[in-house]
Amino acid sequence: MNKVYGSAAEALDGILRDDMLIAAGGFGLSGIPELLLQAIKDSGVKNLTFASNNAGVDDFGIGILLQTRQVKKMLSSYVGENDTFMQQYLSGELELEFNPQGTLAERMRAGGAGIPGFYTKTGVGTQIAEGKEHKDFDGETYILERGIFADLSIVKAWKADTTGNAIFRKTSRNFNPPAAMCGKICVMEVEEIVEPGTLDPDHIHLPGIYVHRLIEGTHEKRIEKRTTRAV
């Protein structure tokens, strides 16, 4: 089965539709599947829900989809540094479901493992716990959090072989692997695609069984954007 596609648009062909729940990798501006996000923008699909640690900035990451008003809801843990996000949220145009960062990562991982829910102490006694089931274990109160089962996962890897076995670098590893796991279909953007057997099996962060389609990205372009952001 050939998993490698020539472009982001080709890799997403036949998958995208309105009202999808999409799990997106990335942490800050690291490990963002920018080519896939651009292809989603160009497709014109709308009323999307994104599960992602953050929403990028105004003109990078999920921020480009906020500008075109293609996103109706965000499941996130950090939403700062995005004026478009703030304006749409405060006006009631964008729905937001806040998640503690570790809870969001575990919700994705749980979905990928087929676990519909889990109990955690994080958020007990705060607004996070409102409307959620509470249960006591050994004298401690926990709240029920649901696993995330996304229609589509879009992630970014540093290196992968043609079967989808992937390696992520540094902070890019925080959310990309769990985001990849929880989607019915996973499309992965990769800096470098190599032949099977090239990667050390002990270094694989995500098995190819989770990955359905691959495209090769452009590392130099991404570095230029990040450098501009930092300045």
Side-chain angles (χ1 to χ4, degrees):
M1 177 180 177
N2 179 30
K3 295 185 178 181
V4 181
Y5 286 70
S7 69
E10 291 175 12
L12 293 170
D13 184 44
I15 298 175
L16 294 177
R17 57 175 172 78
D18 293 346
D19 304 301
M20 293 188 84
L21 169 56
I22 301 176
F27 190 79
L29 297 182
S30 300
I32 291 178
E34 60 189 87
L35 298 181
L36 293 169
L37 287 169
Q38 183 63 49
I40 292 173
K41 176 183 176 181
D42 294 341
S43 75
V45 292
K46 57 186 184 299
N47 296 326
L48 302 174
T49 297
F50 270 90
S52 176
N53 178 63
N54 54 283
V57 289
D58 290 305
D59 57 355
F60 187 66
I62 297 172
I64 65 173
L65 296 172
L66 293 173
Q67 289 180 334
T68 53
R69 289 172 166 73
Q70 290 170 260
V71 181
K72 69 174 182 180
K73 181 178 180 179
M74 289 291 305
L75 283 68
S76 297
S77 64
Y78 177 72
V79 294
E81 301 179 37
N82 192 318
D83 291 338
T84 304
F85 189 111
M86 178 184 68
Q87 293 165 4
Q88 292 182 12
Y89 173 65
L90 292 177
S91 69
E93 186 177 353
L94 179 68
E95 186 178 351
L96 172 62
E97 182 180 330
F98 262 126
N99 290 249
Q101 201 163 75
T103 298
L104 180 60
E106 180 60 16
R107 289 184 68 191
M108 291 180 177
R109 192 207 66 81
I115 299 171
F118 59 92
Y119 288 96
T120 176
K121 291 173 64 176
T122 305
V124 172
T126 72
Q127 290 183 340
I128 297 295
E130 292 180 3
K132 295 176 180 176
E133 179 185 332
H134 289 59
K135 192 174 182 66
D136 288 346
F137 294 93
D138 301 320
E140 297 282 352
T141 301
Y142 294 73
I143 56 174
L144 177 65
E145 294 283 0
R146 298 297 303 271
I148 292 174
F149 296 83
D151 300 306
L152 169 66
S153 295
I154 55 170
V155 296
K156 180 62 175 288
W158 171 55
K159 190 177 291 187
D161 64 25
T162 55
T163 70
N165 294 311
I167 299 173
F168 302 90
R169 294 191 72 242
K170 303 184 179 185
T171 53
S172 296
R173 190 180 173 187
N174 287 0
F175 274 92
N176 272 297
M181 293 171 63
C182 71
K184 295 177 182 176
I185 298 175
C186 175
V187 182
M188 185 164 65
E189 186 177 318
V190 190
E191 290 182 16
E192 182 183 1
I193 298 177
V194 299
E195 291 301 314
T198 304
L199 304 178
D200 185 337
D202 287 337
H203 295 167
I204 299 299
H205 298 141
L206 179 73
I209 190 68
Y210 288 106
V211 181
H212 301 85
R213 301 183 180 186
L214 297 163
I215 63 164
E216 194 162 24
T218 305
H219 181 54
E220 290 77 11
K221 181 180 180 181
R222 187 173 53 264
I223 288 178
E224 180 181 347
K225 284 185 177 179
R226 287 180 184 168
T227 302
T228 302
R229 278 292 153 226
V231 174

